[in-house]
Amino acid sequence: MTENNIFVSYSSRDVEFAKALAEELERLGSTVWIDQHGIDLGTNWDSSIDDALDTATTLLLLISKPAASSENVQDEVHIAKEYKKKIIPILIEQCVKFYNYFVINVIAFKI
């Protein structure tokens, strides 16, 4: 991955929104890592996620009710915080749980 990489963290239930957003960001010139395109068959999932987060500059967190209850999403946010990555929360569904986690502004999208 190159500079200004975006790692997209989302619930599998939000995959269509995540893929569409990633494709649009790439069309606009961003380098985007999303598990749907970044992990080859037979590759260790955890290692791939860790490597991608290590080289990313920003974690784009798609917030929804399923994401709030996803252990994978919570792990990705935790790792991103450990690596001191920028975290940009995108609200795609009203969800109270992540408001307690981030005391920052949230960008809201309607699906």
PDB file of all heavy atoms in Angstrom, residues 30-51:
ATOM      1  N   SER A  30      -8.226   7.735  -4.515  1.00  0.00           N
ATOM      2  CA  SER A  30      -7.710   7.210  -3.252  1.00  0.00           C
ATOM      3  C   SER A  30      -7.260   5.762  -3.417  1.00  0.00           C
ATOM      4  O   SER A  30      -7.761   5.041  -4.269  1.00  0.00           O
ATOM      5  CB  SER A  30      -8.795   7.257  -2.171  1.00  0.00           C
ATOM      6  OG  SER A  30      -9.165   8.582  -1.891  1.00  0.00           O
ATOM      7  N   THR A  31      -6.345   5.352  -2.572  1.00  0.00           N
ATOM      8  CA  THR A  31      -5.951   3.952  -2.481  1.00  0.00           C
ATOM      9  C   THR A  31      -6.745   3.353  -1.333  1.00  0.00           C
ATOM     10  O   THR A  31      -6.646   3.823  -0.199  1.00  0.00           O
ATOM     11  CB  THR A  31      -4.438   3.819  -2.216  1.00  0.00           C
ATOM     12  OG1 THR A  31      -3.736   4.457  -3.279  1.00  0.00           O
ATOM     13  CG2 THR A  31      -4.030   2.367  -2.120  1.00  0.00           C
ATOM     14  N   VAL A  32      -7.550   2.349  -1.622  1.00  0.00           N
ATOM     15  CA  VAL A  32      -8.474   1.794  -0.640  1.00  0.00           C
ATOM     16  C   VAL A  32      -8.212   0.306  -0.464  1.00  0.00           C
ATOM     17  O   VAL A  32      -8.073  -0.427  -1.444  1.00  0.00           O
ATOM     18  CB  VAL A  32      -9.946   2.021  -1.065  1.00  0.00           C
ATOM     19  CG1 VAL A  32     -10.907   1.444  -0.041  1.00  0.00           C
ATOM     20  CG2 VAL A  32     -10.215   3.511  -1.281  1.00  0.00           C
ATOM     21  N   TRP A  33      -8.159  -0.139   0.808  1.00  0.00           N
ATOM     22  CA  TRP A  33      -8.057  -1.568   1.115  1.00  0.00           C
ATOM     23  C   TRP A  33      -9.370  -1.993   1.732  1.00  0.00           C
ATOM     24  O   TRP A  33      -9.842  -1.406   2.702  1.00  0.00           O
ATOM     25  CB  TRP A  33      -6.908  -1.846   2.079  1.00  0.00           C
ATOM     26  CG  TRP A  33      -6.618  -3.311   2.236  1.00  0.00           C
ATOM     27  CD1 TRP A  33      -5.678  -4.020   1.561  1.00  0.00           C
ATOM     28  CD2 TRP A  33      -7.273  -4.242   3.112  1.00  0.00           C
ATOM     29  NE1 TRP A  33      -5.710  -5.339   1.954  1.00  0.00           N
ATOM     30  CE2 TRP A  33      -6.688  -5.506   2.900  1.00  0.00           C
ATOM     31  CE3 TRP A  33      -8.302  -4.144   4.033  1.00  0.00           C
ATOM     32  CZ2 TRP A  33      -7.082  -6.649   3.582  1.00  0.00           C
ATOM     33  CZ3 TRP A  33      -8.712  -5.278   4.712  1.00  0.00           C
ATOM     34  CH2 TRP A  33      -8.096  -6.511   4.484  1.00  0.00           C
ATOM     35  N   ILE A  34      -9.970  -3.016   1.143  1.00  0.00           N
ATOM     36  CA  ILE A  34     -11.196  -3.607   1.667  1.00  0.00           C
ATOM     37  C   ILE A  34     -11.021  -5.113   1.563  1.00  0.00           C
ATOM     38  O   ILE A  34     -10.457  -5.616   0.586  1.00  0.00           O
ATOM     39  CB  ILE A  34     -12.434  -3.094   0.895  1.00  0.00           C
ATOM     40  CG1 ILE A  34     -13.724  -3.621   1.515  1.00  0.00           C
ATOM     41  CG2 ILE A  34     -12.339  -3.361  -0.579  1.00  0.00           C
ATOM     42  CD1 ILE A  34     -14.981  -2.930   0.977  1.00  0.00           C
ATOM     43  N   ASP A  35     -11.465  -5.826   2.569  1.00  0.00           N
ATOM     44  CA  ASP A  35     -11.196  -7.268   2.615  1.00  0.00           C
ATOM     45  C   ASP A  35     -11.707  -8.014   1.385  1.00  0.00           C
ATOM     46  O   ASP A  35     -11.131  -9.014   0.980  1.00  0.00           O
ATOM     47  CB  ASP A  35     -11.750  -7.890   3.896  1.00  0.00           C
ATOM     48  CG  ASP A  35     -13.252  -7.773   4.030  1.00  0.00           C
ATOM     49  OD1 ASP A  35     -13.897  -7.066   3.227  1.00  0.00           O
ATOM     50  OD2 ASP A  35     -13.800  -8.368   4.968  1.00  0.00           O
ATOM     51  N   GLN A  36     -12.757  -7.519   0.764  1.00  0.00           N
ATOM     52  CA  GLN A  36     -13.313  -8.177  -0.412  1.00  0.00           C
ATOM     53  C   GLN A  36     -12.312  -8.250  -1.568  1.00  0.00           C
ATOM     54  O   GLN A  36     -12.395  -9.115  -2.418  1.00  0.00           O
ATOM     55  CB  GLN A  36     -14.569  -7.432  -0.895  1.00  0.00           C
ATOM     56  CG  GLN A  36     -15.713  -7.513   0.083  1.00  0.00           C
ATOM     57  CD  GLN A  36     -16.321  -8.895   0.119  1.00  0.00           C
ATOM     58  OE1 GLN A  36     -16.650  -9.464  -0.912  1.00  0.00           O
ATOM     59  NE2 GLN A  36     -16.464  -9.443   1.312  1.00  0.00           N
ATOM     60  N   HIS A  37     -11.359  -7.315  -1.581  1.00  0.00           N
ATOM     61  CA  HIS A  37     -10.368  -7.275  -2.653  1.00  0.00           C
ATOM     62  C   HIS A  37      -8.946  -7.486  -2.154  1.00  0.00           C
ATOM     63  O   HIS A  37      -8.046  -7.694  -2.949  1.00  0.00           O
ATOM     64  CB  HIS A  37     -10.438  -5.933  -3.387  1.00  0.00           C
ATOM     65  CG  HIS A  37     -11.794  -5.617  -3.922  1.00  0.00           C
ATOM     66  ND1 HIS A  37     -12.389  -6.332  -4.931  1.00  0.00           N
ATOM     67  CD2 HIS A  37     -12.687  -4.668  -3.565  1.00  0.00           C
ATOM     68  CE1 HIS A  37     -13.585  -5.829  -5.181  1.00  0.00           C
ATOM     69  NE2 HIS A  37     -13.800  -4.824  -4.364  1.00  0.00           N
ATOM     70  N   GLY A  38      -8.746  -7.432  -0.829  1.00  0.00           N
ATOM     71  CA  GLY A  38      -7.398  -7.437  -0.291  1.00  0.00           C
ATOM     72  C   GLY A  38      -6.910  -8.745   0.297  1.00  0.00           C
ATOM     73  O   GLY A  38      -5.762  -8.846   0.716  1.00  0.00           O
ATOM     74  N   ILE A  39      -7.776  -9.761   0.343  1.00  0.00           N
ATOM     75  CA  ILE A  39      -7.366 -11.029   0.938  1.00  0.00           C
ATOM     76  C   ILE A  39      -7.578 -12.140  -0.085  1.00  0.00           C
ATOM     77  O   ILE A  39      -8.700 -12.395  -0.514  1.00  0.00           O
ATOM     78  CB  ILE A  39      -8.162 -11.343   2.229  1.00  0.00           C
ATOM     79  CG1 ILE A  39      -7.948 -10.222   3.253  1.00  0.00           C
ATOM     80  CG2 ILE A  39      -7.726 -12.686   2.812  1.00  0.00           C
ATOM     81  CD1 ILE A  39      -8.745 -10.389   4.533  1.00  0.00           C
ATOM     82  N   ASP A  40      -6.495 -12.786  -0.469  1.00  0.00           N
ATOM     83  CA  ASP A  40      -6.572 -13.889  -1.431  1.00  0.00           C
ATOM     84  C   ASP A  40      -7.004 -15.171  -0.734  1.00  0.00           C
ATOM     85  O   ASP A  40      -6.804 -15.343   0.479  1.00  0.00           O
ATOM     86  CB  ASP A  40      -5.200 -14.108  -2.091  1.00  0.00           C
ATOM     87  CG  ASP A  40      -4.781 -12.916  -2.932  1.00  0.00           C
ATOM     88  OD1 ASP A  40      -5.652 -12.301  -3.567  1.00  0.00           O
ATOM     89  OD2 ASP A  40      -3.569 -12.609  -2.948  1.00  0.00           O
ATOM     90  N   LEU A  41      -7.564 -16.088  -1.503  1.00  0.00           N
ATOM     91  CA  LEU A  41      -7.932 -17.393  -0.966  1.00  0.00           C
ATOM     92  C   LEU A  41      -6.708 -18.079  -0.368  1.00  0.00           C
ATOM     93  O   LEU A  41      -5.613 -18.021  -0.925  1.00  0.00           O
ATOM     94  CB  LEU A  41      -8.524 -18.278  -2.064  1.00  0.00           C
ATOM     95  CG  LEU A  41      -9.898 -17.870  -2.586  1.00  0.00           C
ATOM     96  CD1 LEU A  41     -10.297 -18.785  -3.736  1.00  0.00           C
ATOM     97  CD2 LEU A  41     -10.942 -17.931  -1.484  1.00  0.00           C
ATOM     98  N   GLY A  42      -6.889 -18.696   0.782  1.00  0.00           N
ATOM     99  CA  GLY A  42      -5.805 -19.413   1.432  1.00  0.00           C
ATOM    100  C   GLY A  42      -4.888 -18.542   2.261  1.00  0.00           C
ATOM    101  O   GLY A  42      -3.971 -19.042   2.911  1.00  0.00           O
ATOM    102  N   THR A  43      -5.123 -17.242   2.265  1.00  0.00           N
ATOM    103  CA  THR A  43      -4.295 -16.317   3.035  1.00  0.00           C
ATOM    104  C   THR A  43      -4.837 -16.222   4.458  1.00  0.00           C
ATOM    105  O   THR A  43      -6.046 -16.245   4.672  1.00  0.00           O
ATOM    106  CB  THR A  43      -4.320 -14.918   2.386  1.00  0.00           C
ATOM    107  OG1 THR A  43      -3.875 -15.032   1.037  1.00  0.00           O
ATOM    108  CG2 THR A  43      -3.431 -13.949   3.127  1.00  0.00           C
ATOM    109  N   ASN A  44      -3.948 -16.097   5.435  1.00  0.00           N
ATOM    110  CA  ASN A  44      -4.356 -15.942   6.825  1.00  0.00           C
ATOM    111  C   ASN A  44      -5.088 -14.618   6.991  1.00  0.00           C
ATOM    112  O   ASN A  44      -4.526 -13.544   6.739  1.00  0.00           O
ATOM    113  CB  ASN A  44      -3.132 -16.006   7.744  1.00  0.00           C
ATOM    114  CG  ASN A  44      -3.511 -15.879   9.196  1.00  0.00           C
ATOM    115  OD1 ASN A  44      -3.852 -14.803   9.677  1.00  0.00           O
ATOM    116  ND2 ASN A  44      -3.449 -17.001   9.902  1.00  0.00           N
ATOM    117  N   TRP A  45      -6.353 -14.707   7.393  1.00  0.00           N
ATOM    118  CA  TRP A  45      -7.220 -13.535   7.511  1.00  0.00           C
ATOM    119  C   TRP A  45      -6.647 -12.515   8.494  1.00  0.00           C
ATOM    120  O   TRP A  45      -6.517 -11.331   8.178  1.00  0.00           O
ATOM    121  CB  TRP A  45      -8.607 -14.002   7.965  1.00  0.00           C
ATOM    122  CG  TRP A  45      -9.639 -12.931   7.993  1.00  0.00           C
ATOM    123  CD1 TRP A  45      -9.946 -12.102   9.031  1.00  0.00           C
ATOM    124  CD2 TRP A  45     -10.506 -12.549   6.929  1.00  0.00           C
ATOM    125  NE1 TRP A  45     -10.951 -11.246   8.693  1.00  0.00           N
ATOM    126  CE2 TRP A  45     -11.317 -11.503   7.410  1.00  0.00           C
ATOM    127  CE3 TRP A  45     -10.691 -13.002   5.629  1.00  0.00           C
ATOM    128  CZ2 TRP A  45     -12.288 -10.895   6.621  1.00  0.00           C
ATOM    129  CZ3 TRP A  45     -11.667 -12.393   4.858  1.00  0.00           C
ATOM    130  CH2 TRP A  45     -12.440 -11.358   5.348  1.00  0.00           C
ATOM    131  N   ASP A  46      -6.311 -12.953   9.712  1.00  0.00           N
ATOM    132  CA  ASP A  46      -5.819 -12.028  10.739  1.00  0.00           C
ATOM    133  C   ASP A  46      -4.540 -11.326  10.313  1.00  0.00           C
ATOM    134  O   ASP A  46      -4.390 -10.127  10.530  1.00  0.00           O
ATOM    135  CB  ASP A  46      -5.598 -12.764  12.062  1.00  0.00           C
ATOM    136  CG  ASP A  46      -6.899 -13.186  12.724  1.00  0.00           C
ATOM    137  OD1 ASP A  46      -7.952 -12.585  12.428  1.00  0.00           O
ATOM    138  OD2 ASP A  46      -6.868 -14.123  13.545  1.00  0.00           O
ATOM    139  N   SER A  47      -3.623 -12.063   9.696  1.00  0.00           N
ATOM    140  CA  SER A  47      -2.367 -11.463   9.235  1.00  0.00           C
ATOM    141  C   SER A  47      -2.616 -10.426   8.143  1.00  0.00           C
ATOM    142  O   SER A  47      -1.984  -9.368   8.126  1.00  0.00           O
ATOM    143  CB  SER A  47      -1.409 -12.528   8.705  1.00  0.00           C
ATOM    144  OG  SER A  47      -1.007 -13.381   9.742  1.00  0.00           O
ATOM    145  N   SER A  48      -3.536 -10.729   7.255  1.00  0.00           N
ATOM    146  CA  SER A  48      -3.858  -9.795   6.175  1.00  0.00           C
ATOM    147  C   SER A  48      -4.440  -8.500   6.729  1.00  0.00           C
ATOM    148  O   SER A  48      -4.070  -7.406   6.294  1.00  0.00           O
ATOM    149  CB  SER A  48      -4.844 -10.422   5.197  1.00  0.00           C
ATOM    150  OG  SER A  48      -4.262 -11.514   4.539  1.00  0.00           O
ATOM    151  N   ILE A  49      -5.345  -8.631   7.692  1.00  0.00           N
ATOM    152  CA  ILE A  49      -5.953  -7.453   8.322  1.00  0.00           C
ATOM    153  C   ILE A  49      -4.878  -6.630   9.035  1.00  0.00           C
ATOM    154  O   ILE A  49      -4.790  -5.416   8.882  1.00  0.00           O
ATOM    155  CB  ILE A  49      -7.056  -7.865   9.329  1.00  0.00           C
ATOM    156  CG1 ILE A  49      -8.195  -8.581   8.628  1.00  0.00           C
ATOM    157  CG2 ILE A  49      -7.540  -6.669  10.143  1.00  0.00           C
ATOM    158  CD1 ILE A  49      -9.059  -7.749   7.739  1.00  0.00           C
ATOM    159  N   ASP A  50      -4.043  -7.302   9.811  1.00  0.00           N
ATOM    160  CA  ASP A  50      -2.993  -6.612  10.563  1.00  0.00           C
ATOM    161  C   ASP A  50      -2.023  -5.900   9.619  1.00  0.00           C
ATOM    162  O   ASP A  50      -1.664  -4.745   9.854  1.00  0.00           O
ATOM    163  CB  ASP A  50      -2.259  -7.602  11.457  1.00  0.00           C
ATOM    164  CG  ASP A  50      -1.407  -6.914  12.498  1.00  0.00           C
ATOM    165  OD1 ASP A  50      -1.948  -6.095  13.262  1.00  0.00           O
ATOM    166  OD2 ASP A  50      -0.186  -7.165  12.512  1.00  0.00           O
ATOM    167  N   ASP A  51      -1.598  -6.576   8.558  1.00  0.00           N
ATOM    168  CA  ASP A  51      -0.674  -5.961   7.589  1.00  0.00           C
ATOM    169  C   ASP A  51      -1.311  -4.742   6.922  1.00  0.00           C
ATOM    170  O   ASP A  51      -0.661  -3.712   6.741  1.00  0.00           O
ATOM    171  CB  ASP A  51      -0.257  -6.975   6.523  1.00  0.00           C
ATOM    172  CG  ASP A  51       0.642  -8.073   7.061  1.00  0.00           C
ATOM    173  OD1 ASP A  51       1.168  -7.930   8.194  1.00  0.00           O
ATOM    174  OD2 ASP A  51       0.802  -9.093   6.358  1.00  0.00           O
TER     175      ASP A  51
END
